[in-house]
Amino acid sequence: MGQKNIKTWLAIAAAASAIALPAFARDINVRGIVTDPSGAPLKGVTIYDANTDHLLASTNEEGKYLVIIDSEGKLLFSILGMEDSEVPVEGRLAVDVTLTRSAITLGEVLVKGKSKLKVVAPEPTDIEIKGNYAHIKTRVKVPGHLFNSSTRLIIQPALYNVTEGRRWFLKPLVYDGKRYNITQERMYDFKPESDPLSSYVTLKNQSAGGNDIITWSDSVYLKNPEQDFYCDMMMAMEDYNKVFYRDTTRIAQGTINPLRFFRYSILGSEVKDSTYFPTPEMQMRDTKGDVKITFRVNETTLDMNYADNRREMNALLAQLKEFEDNPDAAIKSFAINGTASPEGSYDHNVNLSKKRMRSALDIINENLSPSTRRYIEMTSDAKVENWEALVDILRAENENDKADEIESILKKYSGIAAQGNAIKRLPYYNSVLREQYLPKLRRVSYEYVTSEFRYLTDDEIAEVYATNPNSLTRYEFFRLYRYVAKTPEEKETYLKKALEVHPKFLVAANDLSAMYLERNEPHPELLEPFVKPGAKKIPTEAKSNLVAAYLATQQYLRADSIAEELPDTPEYHKTKLYVDVLNGRFENAIQEVSEESPVNEVVLLLALKANDRAWSMAQKLGNSPEEEYLKAIAANRVDEYMAAMSHLENALRLKPELRDIAKIDGDIIELLEDLEGKEVDE
């Protein structure tokens, strides 16, 4: 092979090898710090996978970030006011980035020439919702010709809850000119703290002919951030003699809260840890039993070898012994009923029955301990059976002809003796009646009632519930709703009754809460009593259910405090992420939750105010009412007015209920006003 051919072959082999063996790539954790040109850390920089355009993370207060990305991927860093920066990862675990400032175009600056500002002018702003807090930040321009050394400027912002008709005064701004401040100190005898505004006073020098810009920000806790709010700023200036300037300006209308469309799911969970299950409790239950023994004709002594006497008596004695040996049981009562057959003298038969009972009772007493006998309620009854009983026995044995014949005798004669004499004359009396059937009328029966503390069966529990549910223990209710209930409705009924009878039944409260969460009907009040200070340890499922209920009822701060106690396990990982997002902490959650759905990615981009990227991604969403609404927000933020109007119109047409949100949504309010005006004109 020539030199040229060898080179050609090697080139082909190398190319084939390159095709067959692509560069090795894997997902890695990449960390880093993003700074501005001066080296100061940048918070809120959004970071994307440049190849997939997926949102990965945002930087925290220290400018730090952590993302998961392909080792051969590229990171894109973006924040308003800085140039976007695309950086290849190249397998590095640490990637630090310095962003450069964006060039300001003339279109972004409003020039007013030499016109003089005549009023105190707060800039319009937003009421941003993060969790249960409303955050408001603005700048106030103060005309230089109004403020001088002998002046006090007071700015008092106020937040109004339109839904409830409430008002909160926010942190005021108080600026004193130098001479005015000295005068105040003299007026209060050099005790500035006597001035109610002293803690807010800032001493300010008069500007040299220009206007001043004052920055103000504050936040306030909102019980329900889904309500309607607006913020006004009241301003006043005074000198030594009078208030010479007063004005009020609305700086924000509605709330900015794209997270109201954040999609997540936290399933309710029943308690699985059996250590929290209620302990079974025994209940007192009465049990009845009976034994029948038979005596020979005219005999008063019990013959154990006759009929089934031995088996019956042994069974009785064994049962009585079992109850005696059981510390949770007692023999409550014992009744003996002696019966003689009707043949012969009635008085003789009665005496015979009594003697048989005493004979049988002696056997029982011999086998019971004195302490047991002392507390047993003993009763006895001796009687002589009538001839009608013989008729019943015959019919039971299908001897109907004989039964009819005896029945006719009974109708013809009155009195047991006369009836007996007539029956004895029957040809089959001795061979059939006396030998086979009359012995069945000679018997002694024992009936006893025992009381026993024992665990009820599920069937018994259901029977008690039907008649006296208030007597059931926690464990018995637990058995009912976990194992007896056949339908969700039946289970819910058992759970509600369990909590009515046992209000501190934690497992039932949790399991009912889980049922409600499955139906999207959160009830945090079910579990709140169990997490108060000093309360006992509660199962993890209860904490998770309470977190889910709090999130669903917009109690984000409370959810946050409980979520901290959830373990860092895969089962509760997403729950903790959702709590972070809904409380405005996106840094550690962005990549996972944005990958769950395109809607979540757009929602997070809007929350991070990455508006250009949000509009780009929003255009890829579907056409559901909520997705159309998000498109309207994103389009409006980047001044795509016609697109925003179109998407809002689609959203409200598909789901008119969204109009209620639009009325309080700071991103949409002005669009809605324009749309309603358009509808009126049409």
Side-chain angles (χ1 to χ4, degrees), residues 16 52 84 115 122 181 274 291 299 334 385 425 428 436 447 526 545 561 653-654:
T52 64
D84 288 356
S115 62
N181 189 257
S274 60
V291 174
E299 291 287 331
F334 200 91
E385 195 62 88
R425 291 194 289 270
Y428 50 82
Q436 297 181 36
E447 292 183 1
L526 284 171
N545 289 342
S561 65
R653 176 177 51 79
L654 294 170

Side-chain angles (χ1 to χ4, degrees), residues 328-360:
D328 292 314
I331 305 170
K332 193 173 182 180
S333 64
F334 200 91
I336 305 176
N337 300 301
T339 304
S341 67
E343 62 178 331
S345 165
Y346 179 80
D347 292 337
H348 169 77
N349 287 336
V350 170
N351 289 328
L352 187 65
S353 180
K354 289 180 178 179
K355 288 178 181 179
R356 286 171 175 168
M357 281 193 300
R358 281 195 296 271
S359 172

Side-chain angles (χ1 to χ4, degrees), residues 224 304 361 430:
N224 185 356
M304 286 295 190
L361 186 59
N430 288 323

Side-chain angles (χ1 to χ4, degrees), residues 340-347 349-350 383-389 409-410 413-424:
S341 67
E343 62 178 331
S345 165
Y346 179 80
D347 292 337
N349 287 336
V350 170
K383 68 176 184 177
V384 178
E385 195 62 88
N386 55 39
W387 291 105
E388 281 82 356
I409 292 173
L410 298 180
Y413 298 93
S414 61
I416 235 177
Q419 292 170 342
N421 290 332
I423 292 172
K424 287 177 183 178

Side-chain angles (χ1 to χ4, degrees), residues 647-656 658-659 662 672 675:
H647 290 303
L648 179 60
E649 194 169 7
N650 288 339
L652 299 183
R653 176 177 51 79
L654 294 170
K655 190 173 182 178
L658 286 174
R659 190 178 295 267
L672 181 64
L675 183 61

